Amino acid sequence: MNLTLRIWRQSGPDESGEMVTYQVTDVSPDMSFLEMLDILNEDLILRGEQPVAFDHDCREGICGSCGMVINGSAHGPVQTTTCQLHMRSFNDGDVIDIEPWRAAAFPVIKDLVVDRSAFDRIIQAGGYISAPTGTAPDAHAVPVPKPDADLAFENATCIGCGACVAACPNGSAMLFTSAKINHLNVLPQGQPERESRVLDMVTTMDAEGFGGCTNTGECAAACPKGIPLASIATMNREFLRAARKAPR
Amino acid sequence: MASTGVIMLLFLIVHMAGNLKIFFGPTDFNSYAAWLRTIGEPVLHETWYLWVQRVVLLACLVAHVTSAIQLTHRDIHARPQRYRSKRPWRATFATNTMRYGGAILALFVIWHILDLTVGAVNPRGEAGHPYENVVADFGVWWIALIYVVAMLALCLHIYHGFWSAAQTLGANNAARNVVFKTIATVLALAITVGFLSVPIAVMTGLVR
Amino acid sequence: MSNPKKQNAAKRSTGGRNAGKPKDSVGAYTVGDAIVDTKAPAGPVEKRWDTRRFEAKLVNPANRRKHRVIVVGTGLAGGSAGATLAEQGYHVIQFCYQDSPRRAHSVAAQGGINAAKNYRNDGDSIHRLFYDTVKGGDFRSRESNVYRLAQISVEIIDQCVAQGVPFAREYGGLLDNRSFGGVQVSRTFYARGQTGQQLLLGAYQALSRQIEAGNVEMHARTEMLDLVVVDGRARGIVARDLVTGKIETYLADAVVLATGGYGNTFYLSTNAKGSNATAIWRAHKRGAHFANPCYTQIHPTCIPRSGDHQSKLTLMSESLRNDGRIWVPKTKGDKRSPADIPEDERDYYLERIYPSFGNLVPRDIASRAAKNVCDEGRGVGPGGLGVYLDFADAIQRMGLDKVSEKYGNLFEMYERITGENPYQVPMRIYPAIHYTMGGLWVDYDLQSTIPGMFVIGEANFSDHGANRLGASALMQGLADGYFVLPSTINDYLARGGLDAVGADDPAVTTTVAEVEDRIKRLLAVDGDRTVDSFHRELGTLMWDECGMARNAEGLKKALARIPELREEFWQRVKVPGTGYELNQSLEKANRVADFLELAELMCLDALVREESCGGHFREESQTPDGEAKRDDERFSHVAAWEYTGVGEPPVLHKETLDFEYVHPTQRSYA
């Protein structure tokens, strides 16, 4: 099939960008979306033009590197990662708009590549359990009820791609932050730092310039790993509880 | 926003229930309105309770609107550059129109106070005769229309707002989600139908 | 050990401009001194690690802060090492090419992690895990290292649970285990199909905590391009900031490489697109020996390629073979849809050739059998490179619900990628490059032949021999990072003699100049072929001649072709843009240039090892019924290669493998 792509091109962080139109021909429905961009890039290189820069790595939907807004939707029309989106989701003659994640906390580096280090800083603020190597008791010393373990796992599957922020009309990072807080706060091992974790991570999240939550649910609808919207409510509960217990 | 919203919502439930007294005729309704001024007597002086309530509601409203403005401001700054392509319409109409609905309601509250509390813009505007004032109001088509539009906006605002408050206050979870959504729907519909019954009754001549 | 004079041999060439060589020198190499001391203590195998730890010198806690340690890579090995070294008090400078340390490719491991916990009381023990690993590695690994790995496996699980890794649990709240990779005990801990992700996030979080504490200086989107060797010791790296293009030097007292394997030499593999061999290859060129480069693992159940556009391959869990039946049509070139092929015209070849193991034969055997039937022209799907994995019988026997409960998520993944519904149409699978057992040579301390440079995880060669068992990669990465390296690196640092190195040291300035020169040359070629086109061509060549089955003729052909391709690369590659910006083509070109050199060593090693063992199958060395045949007389050794120059004959150093506890036997699955 033949497609028209309109892609955001921006040569550097401080440059202004624009949508540029490209034609790609002979696209196979079996190609992944990124493979379609590979073809475009090979073509651009041979024509002496700059290829489109985009982040990608594992291409199997787990590393969280890739991410672009395709026709207005984070990761495109299917609820999965961009690398797992295939061209069979499109039709011959389609016009496809491709833009980077847009958020003040995710400045564009080049074309479709954005800086998501704000996510790392949120984790650094408390998204861990302090268990230095060598200090651990036997793994069976503390049983974890299966529902708690499952809930922790469900939240722990977050891949940190940033689609939640990109999809949120407010550019909010609540779903990302809540996933890590819920993963750790529900486990017995996470109890000692339960309050400081939520307070510190939320403070950092706010300081990074993410927007506030208005419960639109767009984040959960775009999340390729299906982190539920209820995680945000749980985080709010944890936050209110922590604020009561440790006022500052 | 969640807590102030919930307080105002509680007030609206009582307010709506009180309004229904209009169906028992002018005597009932007017004496109910008069009673409102005497709540808390003899401990409180006449209308003191009413003023306490007004102050609380005003504080809630101011806080609610201030938070809304702050949040909107923050959200706009969180995405300085907008997407070129249009976002597909995933969330409900209610969710997407919270800010517009909120603005409509804010303007309406001002109108409503000038109309039926102060009486300044009421076609009749006679103190101590709320029943007659109401009937006079809804005899005018465009005034009735203001009320209808505002109540529809209120319906949407409560529908998203109540569930949203459950999220924000951390009361919601996966299992309770359906419950909160249902309560939100029932509350939004009940309050709207209750409020709208009055102008409709006047316009259809049921209350005159 | 190696000749110290040769440790700066990389001076001779850092590029491949004059890389062509005459045909008669194909496969040339020289034999150097044997490696006799691996630093493993003597005595009973179960005491060796204790002995080593006791004998190792320690660094006073107050002095650790003064030592800077560079860690390259943030996967399971690098992430855990960086966090642990920082916890001990060292100042860690850490690098990853991804935008965040959480994205390293360990994240993609599905199956699980082995540990000899014996929680199932099914007869498992440290000794049994040790035995299984040595045997599974086809008797080409070191007993001392493997025993240590089995010992540490137990501590890893404790550590990860304490960090909050959400392993699968049973209703009683205790950890669940499953049997994996054909072993007879249930010792695999798992977190659904995302064990690698969960373990990596555990290490990433521990690392994040140390970053926040100021003990780790994290450089994301920064790629190591060379090793700085001063007076024969590793003292730093030269790295490129991938956003600004700036070349920077980072100096330290020791350098740890945790940069993963080199499976991407084959272009198509289950590795991440960015996975590369640059760090280990440049270190090799600075004097680190490269061990067993021909040991590559091929995984039988990957989704086949759908066309020339294919950019990578996706693995599907091996557990599918428990209930699926593998078959191809009996006749060549049968283009009928699978449903139209009657039962008696299907060849369930694994069940036919290996009646007792059937579809559950080990990875290498299943892979080779698939290759054979496809070579006969009986393969299915686009290009005829695929075999059916059919669940029709399983659905009939167990019911649709049971099948979907067990394999639902895998079926979904398959359908997302191929657009075919495996409940109705048999899946198509084909083998793919998955893991590399070879890597930089390290001693028992995980130190390379360059003093001060340590290599951990998949980047080293140490524990898996010629074949890695399922669920052992995660175990090794974490064992190295959390426990082994943090103990052994103390000894190196405590022995001192590390004088300050200045940025103006000639060793530093020369290395920087070489790196910059190479980037300039890559940009200057301005030819007419893209980097990917070279990479694809190299990959096809390697897959054909140095893939699932190898023979002398094919390897010689590859050895003749690779230098030509390399020369063509340096004459015709086109890299747009400049070096002073985010330039993904330049990043790729830099990596592919190294693959083009490494590939030659892989083929040479495969040619020299005239036996079949584990993942290395030489067609000349097989039993009458077509199984791999080891030659313990001649090849019971590690082949550690010393670099002498691009296209120059390398020097082979042999490290003999002794087996005191597990005695070599020939595998049989018929």
Side-chain angles (χ1 to χ4, degrees):
Chain A
M1 51 189 176
N2 300 327
L3 301 165
T4 303
L5 307 177
R6 292 193 304 217
I7 305 178
W8 181 259
R9 302 303 308 263
Q10 179 175 340
S11 56
D14 305 320
E15 311 297 322
S16 62
E18 56 174 346
M19 298 295 276
V20 179
T21 305
Y22 301 98
Q23 306 293 334
V24 279
T25 51
D26 287 334
V27 173
S28 150
D30 288 329
M31 282 180 189
S32 71
F33 197 82
L34 298 185
E35 283 165 352
M36 184 274 294
L37 289 180
D38 288 343
I39 304 253
L40 170 70
N41 277 346
E42 291 261 295
D43 201 39
L44 289 176
I45 291 169
L46 291 177
R47 291 206 316 243
E49 291 178 45
Q50 284 266 359
V52 179
F54 59 91
D55 268 327
H56 65 104
D57 204 23
C58 78
R59 293 204 178 187
E60 45 189 288
I62 194 75
C63 75
S65 292
C66 64
M68 38 193 93
V69 169
I70 300 165
N71 285 339
S73 292
H75 290 308
V78 183
Q79 191 177 352
T80 184
T81 56
T82 305
C83 64
Q84 294 292 289
L85 175 66
H86 282 72
M87 296 314 292
R88 64 182 77 91
S89 299
F90 298 88
N91 299 311
D92 187 35
D94 276 0
V95 177
I96 305 174
D97 283 347
I98 309 173
E99 297 175 79
W101 287 170
R102 294 244 180 251
F106 290 168
V108 173
I109 294 173
K110 186 177 183 177
D111 297 340
L112 305 172
V113 177
V114 299
D115 177 357
R116 284 170 293 195
S117 54
F119 270 10
D120 289 320
R121 290 187 289 275
I122 292 175
I123 299 295
Q124 284 156 22
Y128 49 76
I129 288 171
S130 297
T133 309
T135 56
D138 184 86
H140 270 178
V142 186
V144 181
K146 189 167 166 57
D148 289 352
D150 288 347
L151 186 64
F153 179 83
E154 183 182 35
N155 283 283
T157 55
C158 168
I159 56 175
C161 64
C164 46
V165 175
C168 175
N170 310 319
S172 169
M174 293 281 271
L175 194 66
F176 168 80
T177 309
S178 70
K180 187 48 66 191
I181 289 170
N182 292 343
H183 160 206
L184 299 175
N185 275 18
V186 74
L187 292 172
Q189 290 85 356
Q191 295 312 304
E193 293 159 306
R194 183 172 169 185
E195 288 85 26
S196 61
R197 176 175 302 119
V198 59
L199 294 175
D200 292 345
M201 288 178 71
V202 169
T203 306
T204 305
M205 175 184 80
D206 289 345
E208 289 289 345
F210 291 104
C213 179
T214 57
N215 299 312
T216 65
E218 294 285 354
C219 51
C223 176
K225 294 293 142 180
I227 307 288
L229 196 55
S231 289
I232 295 181
T234 313
M235 175 174 78
N236 289 333
R237 187 160 64 240
E238 288 291 311
F239 183 85
L240 293 172
R241 179 184 172 279
R244 269 199 313 274
K245 281 191 82 169
R248 42 173 174 171
Chain B
M1 282 182 91
S3 35
T4 52
V6 168
I7 294 171
M8 291 191 287
L9 181 61
L10 288 174
F11 164 73
L12 283 177
I13 295 171
V14 178
H15 184 356
M16 186 273 290
N19 281 9
L20 295 180
K21 294 215 83 174
I22 204 159
F23 291 102
F24 297 103
T27 326
D28 255 37
F29 189 73
N30 285 344
S31 61
Y32 161 72
W35 169 77
L36 289 176
R37 295 165 186 277
T38 65
I39 297 172
E41 283 184 29
V43 175
L44 300 178
H45 189 66
E46 196 190 351
T47 72
W48 275 22
Y49 166 77
L50 215 50
W51 278 107
V52 169
Q53 180 177 305
R54 283 170 181 161
V55 169
V56 170
L57 284 176
L58 185 67
C60 282
L61 185 69
V62 170
H64 198 76
V65 173
T66 311
S67 324
I69 291 171
Q70 282 176 341
L71 186 62
T72 307
H73 181 80
R74 181 180 156 186
D75 292 349
I76 290 170
H77 282 266
R79 177 161 298 136
Q81 191 155 14
R82 315 219 58 99
Y83 291 112
R84 297 299 175 94
S85 43
K86 236 173 111 69
R87 182 164 58 95
W89 199 266
R90 263 210 211 91
T92 61
F93 181 76
T95 306
N96 282 324
T97 55
M98 280 304 269
R99 280 169 187 152
Y100 311 110
I104 291 174
L105 289 172
L107 292 174
F108 170 74
V109 167
I110 297 169
W111 168 268
H112 185 52
I113 290 169
L114 290 176
D115 179 11
L116 289 170
T117 309
V118 183
V121 296
N122 190 276
R124 184 185 154 110
E126 195 178 333
H129 296 275
Y131 183 93
E132 291 75 11
N133 292 346
V134 167
V135 172
D137 246 353
F138 298 139
V140 184
W141 70 268
W142 58 269
I143 297 181
L145 186 68
I146 290 177
Y147 276 83
V148 171
V149 169
M151 286 312 105
L152 291 177
L154 181 66
C155 178
L156 295 172
H157 210 76
I158 292 173
Y159 172 70
H160 177 72
F162 178 78
W163 171 84
S164 184
Q167 276 283 111
T168 305
L169 296 175
N172 200 13
N173 63 28
R176 290 186 208 146
N177 198 37
V178 184
V179 178
F180 278 112
K181 285 255 170 181
T182 312
I183 298 177
T185 314
V186 170
L187 266 181
L189 286 177
I191 290 178
T192 311
V193 169
F195 275 131
L196 279 179
S197 65
V198 178
I200 290 170
V202 173
M203 286 188 286
T204 54
L206 200 66
V207 169
R208 61 184 82 200
Chain C
M1 287 246 276
S2 69
N3 179 351
K5 269 183 289 183
K6 285 197 172 159
Q7 280 172 356
N8 275 328
K11 265 186 240 134
R12 279 188 227 165
S13 174
T14 50
R17 235 178 338 188
N18 12 352
K21 64 179 172 185
K23 287 267 190 294
D24 57 350
S25 70
V26 156
Y29 68 100
T30 57
V31 178
D33 302 339
I35 300 171
V36 284
D37 181 16
T38 66
K39 279 206 207 155
V45 73
E46 61 273 12
K47 294 270 181 245
R48 288 178 196 163
W49 179 227
D50 274 350
T51 310
R52 180 68 195 123
R53 276 192 294 180
F54 179 71
E55 286 171 354
K57 285 193 155 208
L58 297 174
V59 178
N60 180 330
N63 286 337
R64 290 186 193 152
R65 204 159 25 88
K66 298 175 198 157
H67 285 290
R68 292 156 63 90
V69 178
I70 285 173
V71 180
V72 187
T74 57
L76 285 184
S80 57
T84 305
L85 291 173
E87 284 160 5
Q88 289 187 352
Y90 293 111
H91 183 76
V92 175
I93 312 165
Q94 192 140 7
F95 301 83
C96 67
Y97 73 78
Q98 299 90 343
D99 70 325
S100 162
R102 68 180 293 151
R103 310 210 194 278
H105 199 53
S106 306
V107 81
Q110 297 173 2
I113 176 166
N114 287 331
K117 279 283 196 186
N118 194 27
Y119 280 160
R120 285 301 178 91
N121 196 25
D122 55 2
D124 199 10
S125 64
I126 286 169
H127 199 91
R128 188 177 294 280
L129 176 55
F130 158 66
Y131 174 87
D132 286 348
T133 309
V134 172
K135 183 176 172 223
D138 218 358
F139 306 96
R140 290 293 173 265
S141 50
R142 292 180 189 148
E143 284 189 333
S144 307
N145 285 52
V146 176
Y147 199 90
R148 174 176 68 187
L149 179 66
Q151 284 175 309
I152 290 173
S153 70
V154 175
E155 292 172 71
I156 295 172
I157 301 302
D158 299 342
Q159 177 60 28
C160 294
V161 167
Q163 287 174 341
V165 170
F167 285 120
R169 286 181 185 264
E170 294 170 330
Y171 282 97
L174 299 178
L175 294 162
D176 194 13
N177 291 122
R178 63 182 172 196
S179 150
F180 198 80
V183 295
Q184 285 152 318
V185 291
S186 290
R187 64 159 76 103
T188 305
F189 294 77
Y190 65 100
R192 268 181 240 176
Q194 283 146 267
T195 318
Q197 180 199 25
Q198 294 311 317
L199 295 173
L200 182 71
L201 292 180
Y204 160 73
Q205 287 162 205
L207 186 66
S208 295
R209 177 169 162 259
Q210 294 303 315
I211 294 171
E212 177 78 354
N215 301 329
V216 175
E217 200 183 293
M218 182 70 221
H219 298 272
R221 288 198 199 269
T222 307
E223 184 166 17
M224 168 177 167
L225 293 184
D226 215 332
L227 181 76
V228 175
V229 180
V230 182
D231 298 331
R233 300 169 82 161
R235 295 304 303 269
I237 65 167
V238 176
R240 179 167 180 269
D241 180 325
L242 300 181
V243 174
T244 62
K246 214 161 164 233
I247 306 288
E248 297 262 24
T249 308
Y250 300 87
L251 297 171
D253 297 323
V255 175
V256 179
L257 298 190
T259 55
Y262 48 89
N264 268 351
T265 312
F266 292 85
Y267 185 68
L268 287 181
S269 78
T270 64
N271 283 5
K273 288 298 282 177
S275 298
N276 67 82
T278 290
I280 55 172
W281 188 250
R282 308 267 169 113
H284 172 60
K285 292 170 83 164
R286 295 280 168 202
H289 292 0
F290 206 120
N292 302 333
C294 77
Y295 290 166
T296 49
Q297 184 170 71
I298 291 173
H299 199 290
T301 51
C302 294
I303 301 177
R305 23 179 286 166
S306 61
D308 291 337
H309 54 262
Q310 193 84 25
S311 62
K312 80 149 271 155
L313 297 168
T314 302
L315 179 85
M316 280 190 307
S317 172
E318 220 169 348
S319 63
L320 288 168
R321 287 200 280 143
N322 289 335
D323 290 301
R325 294 180 72 195
I326 294 175
W327 64 275
V328 289
K330 277 186 177 162
T331 38
K332 253 188 352 187
D334 191 339
K335 292 281 175 238
R336 285 178 291 176
S337 91
D340 298 336
I341 302 179
E343 201 60 29
D344 59 348
E345 290 178 44
R346 298 177 176 191
D347 179 13
Y348 293 89
Y349 59 90
L350 285 178
E351 297 169 22
R352 173 171 58 81
I353 309 172
Y354 309 100
S356 55
F357 276 74
N359 294 299
L360 290 172
V361 290
R363 287 179 179 180
D364 52 339
I365 292 177
S367 298
R368 268 198 309 279
K371 176 184 160 44
N372 291 341
V373 294
C374 291
D375 287 352
E376 289 165 19
R378 297 195 287 144
V380 297
L385 290 176
V387 298
Y388 289 124
L389 176 59
D390 200 337
F391 278 81
D393 284 1
I395 291 170
Q396 209 158 40
R397 176 167 44 91
M398 303 156 64
L400 193 74
D401 291 349
K402 258 270 163 340
V403 170
S404 128
E405 187 185 305
K406 229 170 151 180
Y407 303 111
N409 57 339
L410 293 166
F411 281 24
E412 254 171 59
M413 178 174 83
Y414 179 84
E415 187 171 1
R416 205 180 314 124
I417 293 175
T418 62
E420 291 174 1
N421 179 351
Y423 293 103
Q424 289 157 5
V425 188
M427 289 181 167
R428 286 173 295 109
I429 55 165
Y430 199 65
I433 295 288
H434 177 54
Y435 186 88
T436 51
M437 281 75 66
L440 291 184
W441 185 91
V442 288
D443 61 17
Y444 189 70
D445 284 356
L446 304 183
Q447 187 165 210
S448 70
T449 48
I450 303 175
M453 190 183 85
F454 295 77
V455 190
I456 59 178
E458 192 182 345
N460 73 25
F461 87 107
S462 71
D463 296 353
H464 304 298
N467 178 47
R468 179 178 65 73
L469 287 182
S472 283
L474 304 184
M475 172 172 71
Q476 185 228 338
L478 290 180
D480 287 1
Y482 280 131
F483 296 102
V484 182
L485 175 88
S487 300
T488 58
I489 203 170
N490 279 319
D491 184 67
Y492 175 77
L493 294 170
R495 286 178 194 278
L498 294 155
D499 305 324
V501 176
D504 53 352
D505 190 287
V508 176
T509 50
T510 321
T511 310
V512 171
E514 281 171 11
V515 167
E516 284 175 343
D517 172 61
R518 188 173 144 118
I519 288 173
K520 271 191 212 117
R521 283 198 289 131
L522 281 169
L523 290 164
V525 178
D526 196 27
D528 58 355
R529 279 186 68 175
T530 61
V531 177
D532 279 345
S533 79
F534 282 104
H535 198 176
R536 267 193 296 267
E537 189 175 341
L538 174 70
T540 310
L541 180 68
M542 290 298 285
W543 178 248
D544 289 346
E545 310 301 348
C546 194
M548 273 184 280
R550 300 143 178 198
N551 60 51
E553 192 193 344
L555 289 166
K556 280 183 185 154
K557 194 175 127 198
L559 282 167
R561 177 64 190 138
I562 293 167
E564 290 168 10
L565 191 62
R566 194 163 59 220
E567 194 165 8
E568 201 178 325
F569 175 85
W570 284 97
Q571 278 164 7
R572 291 182 57 190
V573 74
K574 187 171 182 77
V575 183
T578 70
Y580 307 103
E581 60 181 329
L582 177 76
N583 186 339
Q584 293 173 324
S585 306
L586 178 62
E587 293 165 26
K588 272 198 264 188
N590 234 326
R591 294 165 189 163
V592 172
D594 291 326
F595 287 136
L596 281 164
E597 294 175 13
L598 167 59
E600 200 176 357
L601 189 65
M602 290 166 70
C603 291
L604 176 62
D605 188 45
L607 180 66
V608 172
R609 189 170 285 277
E610 293 169 338
E611 65 159 352
S612 297
C613 60
H616 170 64
F617 185 81
R618 277 292 296 267
E619 287 168 356
E620 299 92 330
S621 178
Q622 47 183 313
T623 60
D625 46 2
E627 300 306 337
K629 201 170 111 201
R630 278 200 326 270
D631 183 348
D632 292 336
E633 288 282 303
R634 292 170 62 213
F635 293 102
S636 185
H637 63 247
V638 173
W641 296 92
E642 182 186 348
Y643 180 82
T644 58
V646 177
E648 301 290 325
V651 184
L652 171 62
H653 299 272
K654 292 180 187 171
E655 175 200 331
T656 303
L657 295 166
D658 296 315
F659 294 92
E660 290 174 63
Y661 295 88
V662 187
H663 295 290
T665 50
Q666 201 76 40
R667 299 188 305 170
S668 168
Y669 295 93

